[in-house]
Amino acid sequence: MSHAPDIRIRGLVKRFGDVTAVDDVDLEIERGEFFTMLGPSGSGKTTTLRMIAGFEIPDEGSIELAGRDVSRLPPYERPVNTVFQDYALFPHMTVAQNVEYGLMVKRVAKDERRRRAAASLEMVRLGGYGARKPAQLSGGQRQRVALARAIVNEPQVLLLDEPLGALDLKLRQEMQIELKRIQQEVGITFVYVTHDQEEALTMSDRIAVFHRGRIEQIGPPAEVYEHPESEFIAGFVGVSNVIEREGRRYTVRPEKIHVLADGAQAPDGVRVEAGTVRDVQYVGPVTRYHVTLDRGGELQMLAQNLEEGSMEVLASKGRRLRLQWRPEHESVIVETEEGNA
Amino acid sequence: MLALPLAWLVIVYFGSLFVLLLSAFWDTDPFTAEIVHTFTLENFQKIIETQVYRDVAWRTIQMAVFVTIADIVLAFPIAYYMARVASRRRRNLLVVAVLLPLWANYLVKAYAWRTILSEGGVINCALEPFGLSFDGYSTVGLWLVFTYLWLPFMILPVYAGLERIPASLLEASADLGGRSFTTFRRVILPLAFPAVVAGSIFTFSLTLGDYIAPGLITSEQFIGTVIYNIRGQALPTAAAYSMVPIVVVIAYLLVARKLKAFESL
C-alpha cells in the first residue's frame, strides 16, 4: 500500500495574461475524502479544478494523483472525471449513450457497458431513462445523468464544478444529500467546487477557502466556520462580525452572542458589551440584530424566536441592551489586511 | 406592415412560378412555334423519353453532387479553423475574407476563371514545366469554377454550426477519455452535420440552376443552358424541363429537413 495522498498539489500557479488566477496553491486530499474548494468567483477554485482535470496546464507547480505526476498529461490520460457546471451532456446522444461514452471510448465490451451504465443510472435514481435524449429531461435529471456519466468510469477522483448551481433551492438541498449518499456508496474522492458556503458546510469532510488565487484556510467545516483565520473567511463563511479590542481583532459567530437581561449580573469570565440596536431583521425562526457597540464596532447576533412574535421583535429597534459571549467563542483574526467579503 | 413584402412574395414570386408550371402544360404550334393554350402532357413526355434531356439532367445533378462534396471538403477545415482555432482577430479577418468574394460580381468571377482556365492561363502556365496541360474549358474546369463560386455558402453555415458547439462538450469528451479524433468523430462531426447539410442546400441548388458559368466555361450542356437555349422555340418544353431542378431541390430540402438542417441556418 502506498501512502501517497489521492491528490497532492504543490506550488500551483496559473496566469491568464496579467491576471494570476491561481497563486501558489498547496493541497493534499486523502482517498475517499469529500473535499470542497470554496470561494467567490474569480478566487481560483475553478481554475484549480480545471488543472486537476487537465483542461488547463499549470504555469508552475505540480499535480500528483496517487503519487503520479499528471500535471502535463491531457485530460484523456488522467484517472479523473468531471461533472460540469452546465452538465455538458451530448445533445445528439441518448441518456444511455451519454453514460456509456467513457466506456465506449475505452473499448469496454458492449454487454458490460450496458450493465454498468444501467447500474450507474440506477444509482442516481434514473433507471429506465436510458432511451431519452437530454433535451427531454429536467435540470435536476440532467444533473444526475452528468453524475452517472462520470462515476460509471469509476474514476480515482471525481471533480464537480458547481454542479448544483443551476438548480433551484429545494432541488439543490435534495441533491446535496443525494451527492453525499452517492459519495459514500462509491467511496470515490470528491473534489467539489462551490461559492455556496452552506453547501460547503453541509457536505464536506474538509473545506479549502480560496481568496485571490490562494487558499486562506483548510479544515473541517466546523473549524472553518467557528475559527475563521481571516476576516475574509469570517465574512465569506457566515457574517464577518469582527471587532477590535486592545489591539486584538477577533470575530464571534452571531449565534454565540446572547442578550444579558436588564439588571442581571454577568457570570464570571463572560464578555459583556453595551450597545444600541441599529437594525432588526425578522427571519422566521430567528431574528437577526445589528448592534452598534458603545466601545466601537458593530456585531450581529441571532436570537431564536421562541416566545416573541414579529411585532415585539421589530419594536426593539433603537433599544439599549447588553450583549454577552464566552471568550472561547472568540476567534482571533491573524492578518490585519483589509478583507472584503 | 408585412402585407406589402408578403404580397410581393406571393404575387411576383409564386405567381411567376405558377405561370411557369402552367406553361409546362401548354402546346406549341409545330410550324410557327407559337404557344397554343391547350392542355397537354407531351412536354413532360418529351423530356422523360428523350435521351439528351435525361443525360443533361443526370450530368447536372452529378455536377451539383461533386461540387457539394468538394465544397464540404474545402470548407470544413477552414470553418473549423475559424471557429475553434483562430484568435478572435484572425477569425474576424477570415470572416471578411470569406465574405469578400460574395460582394464581387458573379460575372466578373466567372470571367476571371475563364482566364485562369484558358490555354495561356495560370493553371496551364504552372503545368507547362512538367510537360502537362489541362483542358480548362471542360466539365472538370466547370467543377472547379462552381466549387469556387459557392464555397462561401458552405463555409459560413458550417462555421456558425461549429461555433455553436459549447466548448464544455469537447472538454467532456476529453474528460471521458476521448482523444482528439474520437471527439471529432463522435461529438464535433455529428453536431456539425446539420450545418453541413444546410450549406449543401446552397451549393447543390445553386449549381443545379446555374446557366451562366456553364455557358462561359464549357460547351457541355447543363439543365440551365438547355432551358436557356430552347426557351425561344419551345417555351412549354423549357418550362417542363425547369420542373426537373425544382423537383430535385424540393426532394433535397425534404431530406435536409429530416436531417435538421434548417435548425442550424
Side-chain angles (χ1 to χ4, degrees):
Chain A
M1 283 300 281
S2 86
H3 288 282
D6 232 20
I7 302 179
R8 177 185 284 146
I9 292 173
R10 281 194 190 133
L12 202 64
V13 174
K14 180 70 186 176
R15 299 182 197 91
F16 296 108
D18 299 336
V19 183
T20 306
V22 174
D23 188 0
D24 196 16
V25 161
D26 294 292
L27 203 57
E28 287 195 359
I29 300 172
E30 291 302 324
R31 175 122 207 93
E33 227 183 330
F34 196 122
F35 190 88
T36 298
M37 305 201 282
L38 175 69
S41 59
S43 61
K45 57 189 193 305
T46 298
T47 307
T48 304
L49 189 87
R50 289 176 58 81
M51 283 192 277
I52 301 173
F55 304 137
E56 309 282 354
I57 299 298
D59 291 321
E60 288 169 37
S62 67
I63 298 167
E64 285 173 22
L65 296 177
R68 185 167 72 114
D69 188 348
V70 298
S71 322
R72 262 101 202 143
L73 291 183
Y76 48 78
E77 283 174 16
R78 300 189 186 200
V80 302
N81 284 119
T82 307
V83 177
F84 292 82
Q85 187 170 11
D86 65 354
Y87 316 140
L89 299 178
F90 304 122
H92 57 296
M93 300 181 194
T94 63
V95 166
Q97 286 169 331
N98 264 285
V99 176
E100 284 179 35
Y101 188 85
L103 301 175
M104 179 205 71
V105 167
K106 287 180 204 97
R107 306 192 187 288
V108 172
K110 209 169 199 164
D111 291 345
E112 193 188 341
R113 233 154 69 192
R114 290 268 153 78
R115 190 176 51 72
R116 280 169 65 179
S120 185
L121 281 170
E122 206 64 57
M123 174 175 293
V124 297
R125 303 185 200 278
L126 279 181
Y129 281 72
R132 300 210 192 173
K133 285 282 182 78
Q136 295 167 301
L137 302 180
S138 70
Q141 290 170 332
R142 277 180 224 177
Q143 217 287 310
R144 287 157 191 265
V145 175
L147 193 62
R149 184 178 69 172
I151 52 179
V152 74
N153 305 292
E154 293 165 8
Q156 189 183 328
V157 176
L158 187 71
L159 307 171
L160 302 103
D161 183 11
E162 309 226 9
L164 308 183
L167 304 180
D168 60 55
L169 182 67
K170 207 160 171 89
L171 206 53
R172 204 154 69 218
Q173 287 169 342
E174 268 174 46
M175 278 307 290
Q176 286 173 12
I177 299 166
E178 194 82 358
L179 270 175
K180 190 75 192 168
R181 172 184 69 82
I182 290 168
Q183 196 252 344
Q184 278 158 356
E185 221 170 296
V186 296
I188 298 172
T189 310
F190 273 35
V191 180
Y192 191 96
V193 159
T194 183
H195 61 264
D196 184 323
Q197 49 114 350
E198 194 186 306
E199 213 165 274
L201 294 173
T202 315
M203 292 190 287
S204 323
D205 294 319
R206 279 195 307 149
I207 298 174
V209 187
F210 277 69
H211 184 42
R212 294 177 181 156
R214 291 167 175 274
I215 294 178
E216 289 218 351
Q217 189 172 355
I218 299 187
E223 191 186 303
V224 171
Y225 180 74
E226 284 169 21
H227 300 288
E229 285 171 6
S230 72
E231 185 159 351
F232 167 77
I233 293 173
F236 193 73
V237 188
V239 293
S240 77
N241 252 13
V242 174
I243 54 174
E244 197 169 336
R245 293 289 179 265
E246 290 94 37
R248 253 174 101 245
R249 284 168 62 76
Y250 58 83
T251 176
V252 193
R253 288 302 179 200
E255 65 277 9
K256 306 289 190 205
I257 304 175
H258 307 285
V259 177
L260 185 61
D262 289 337
Q265 185 68 43
D268 281 349
V270 163
R271 306 231 191 246
V272 178
E273 291 250 357
T276 312
V277 178
R278 183 180 62 78
D279 203 5
V280 185
Q281 286 159 329
Y282 177 77
V283 231
V286 293
T287 302
R288 187 179 297 130
Y289 296 89
H290 299 253
V291 181
T292 309
L293 302 175
D294 295 350
R295 295 175 62 195
E298 185 178 292
L299 285 180
Q300 273 186 46
M301 66 156 272
L302 284 179
Q304 283 204 286
N305 297 329
L306 299 177
E307 309 289 340
E308 305 89 339
S310 64
M311 297 309 282
E312 284 168 71
V313 161
L314 290 169
S316 60
K317 192 167 167 179
R319 227 183 82 190
R320 298 274 310 157
L321 45 66
R322 286 183 301 160
L323 300 180
Q324 59 164 343
W325 63 87
R326 301 224 295 272
E328 62 263 36
H329 290 142
E330 293 171 356
S331 187
V332 174
I333 303 292
V334 188
E335 37 108 69
T336 45
E337 178 198 351
E338 93 295 357
N340 39 7
Chain B
M1 275 305 193
L2 279 174
L4 213 64
L6 214 60
W8 187 87
L9 184 73
V10 171
I11 296 167
V12 179
Y13 189 74
F14 286 108
S16 46
L17 259 184
F18 178 74
V19 173
L20 180 73
L21 182 67
L22 199 63
S23 55
F25 295 97
W26 288 338
D27 208 351
T28 36
D29 186 308
F31 295 109
T32 60
E34 291 272 323
I35 293 166
V36 185
H37 292 193
T38 48
F39 180 84
T40 175
L41 287 172
E42 229 171 72
N43 301 308
F44 289 101
Q45 198 179 353
K46 192 154 57 181
I47 63 162
I48 290 167
E49 283 177 356
T50 312
Q51 185 70 39
V52 170
Y53 286 122
R54 291 208 310 254
D55 286 349
V56 169
W58 179 231
R59 181 184 304 138
T60 311
I61 291 169
Q62 273 180 304
M63 177 62 82
V65 168
F66 282 115
V67 167
T68 299
I69 291 171
D71 275 340
I72 292 172
V73 170
L74 288 174
F76 206 93
I78 298 173
Y80 187 84
Y81 179 80
M82 287 164 67
R84 307 231 70 112
V85 183
S87 65
R88 180 188 294 263
R89 216 182 97 85
R90 191 168 291 179
R91 171 189 309 180
N92 292 341
L93 225 72
L94 280 167
V95 170
V96 173
V98 170
L99 284 170
L100 216 53
L102 291 180
W103 296 331
N105 188 288
Y106 166 88
L107 277 176
V108 173
K109 288 183 284 187
Y111 270 105
W113 270 94
R114 230 185 108 83
T115 314
I116 293 168
L117 294 170
S118 68
E119 239 169 278
V122 180
I123 292 178
N124 276 310
C125 279
L127 289 175
E128 210 180 0
F130 306 101
L132 299 168
S133 73
F134 170 61
D135 178 15
Y137 298 155
S138 61
T139 314
V140 176
L142 183 63
W143 173 66
L144 289 178
V145 175
F146 273 140
T147 301
Y148 164 80
L149 285 173
W150 315 138
L151 185 59
F153 294 99
M154 180 62 82
I155 293 179
L156 292 174
V158 175
Y159 161 67
L162 285 170
E163 212 196 11
R164 262 198 303 268
I165 301 175
S168 64
L169 292 187
L170 312 187
E171 286 180 353
S173 173
D175 186 72
L176 293 164
R179 286 159 188 278
S180 310
F181 180 72
T182 310
T183 302
F184 182 78
R185 198 167 74 92
R186 300 281 181 181
V187 180
I188 296 175
L189 217 50
L191 288 176
F193 183 69
V196 172
V197 176
S200 78
I201 294 171
F202 294 113
T203 57
F204 185 82
S205 60
L206 287 170
T207 308
L208 215 54
D210 198 272
Y211 69 99
I212 293 172
L216 280 177
I217 303 297
T218 166
S219 52
E220 286 268 26
Q221 294 293 305
F222 291 84
I223 293 177
T225 48
V226 166
I227 293 169
Y228 184 76
N229 290 336
I230 65 171
R231 80 192 190 289
Q233 316 87 317
L235 184 71
T237 313
Y241 203 38
S242 69
M243 289 305 134
V244 175
I246 291 177
V247 167
V248 172
V249 167
I250 287 175
Y252 198 90
L253 290 177
L254 289 175
V255 174
R257 196 180 61 172
K258 263 258 153 60
L259 299 172
K260 302 195 192 306
F262 296 110
E263 286 159 36
S264 73
L265 271 179

